[in-house]
């Protein structure tokens, strides 16, 4: 919530510092439940960053997701979004293909570019 307010207020530097702290605290969660919660909290942060147009934070969080769980399709989708925004179409397509491989039974529209 605090990150969203900072992003919406255009306080990019404060938002980036907050995002860095949130990523670190989420990644430090222990146990299987903590690990899973961390992944979904990171995904929420990445979505928020993209929605507010802070692609620096979106990139940092997408990378953290990929480090946290390189097999999770959501990690690949987050990386694909960042790559596509940066104009790296080949990397976006590669990440989307990895997401499709990880989630072969996903809703058809979910994995569309």
């Amino acid at each position: 919530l605090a990150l969203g307010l900072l992003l919406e207020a255009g306080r990019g530097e404060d938002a980036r510092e907050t995002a860095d702290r949130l990523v670190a605290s989420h990644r430090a969660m222990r146990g299987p439940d903590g690990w899973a919660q961390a992944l979904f909290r990171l995904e929420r942060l990445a979505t928020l960053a993209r929605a507010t147009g802070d692609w620096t934070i979106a990139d940092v969080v997408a990378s953290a997701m990929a480090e946290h769980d390189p097999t999770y399709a959501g990690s690949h989708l987050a990386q694909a979004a960042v790559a596509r925004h940066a104009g790296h179409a080949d990397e976006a397509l590669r990440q989307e293909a990895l997401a499709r491989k990880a989630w072969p039974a996903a809703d058809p529209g979910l994995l569309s570019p």
Side-chain angles (χ1 to χ4, degrees):
L1 181 62
L3 179 61
L5 294 174
L6 291 170
L7 288 167
E8 289 174 6
R11 295 177 53 192
E13 187 58 37
D14 292 334
R16 285 186 264 298
E17 290 173 10
T18 298
D20 288 342
R21 283 194 308 274
L22 287 170
V23 167
S25 69
H26 293 336
R27 298 271 328 267
M29 296 173 76
R30 297 290 173 228
D33 290 341
W35 183 89
Q37 280 192 19
L39 183 59
F40 296 125
R41 288 178 182 181
L42 290 171
E43 188 169 33
R44 188 174 26 195
L45 292 177
T47 301
L48 177 62
R50 291 191 308 269
T52 57
D54 194 312
W55 290 93
T56 300
I57 292 175
D59 187 17
V60 167
V61 178
S63 294
M65 288 175 66
E67 289 174 14
H68 193 73
D69 187 351
T71 65
Y72 177 54
S75 299
H76 295 294
L77 290 177
Q79 289 181 302
V82 170
R84 188 166 304 286
H85 177 77
H88 304 297
D90 289 344
E91 178 61 13
L93 291 173
R94 187 179 81 76
Q95 291 294 338
E96 289 166 358
L98 290 169
R100 281 187 193 85
K101 184 177 178 183
W103 277 343
D107 291 338
L110 179 67
L111 301 176
S112 299

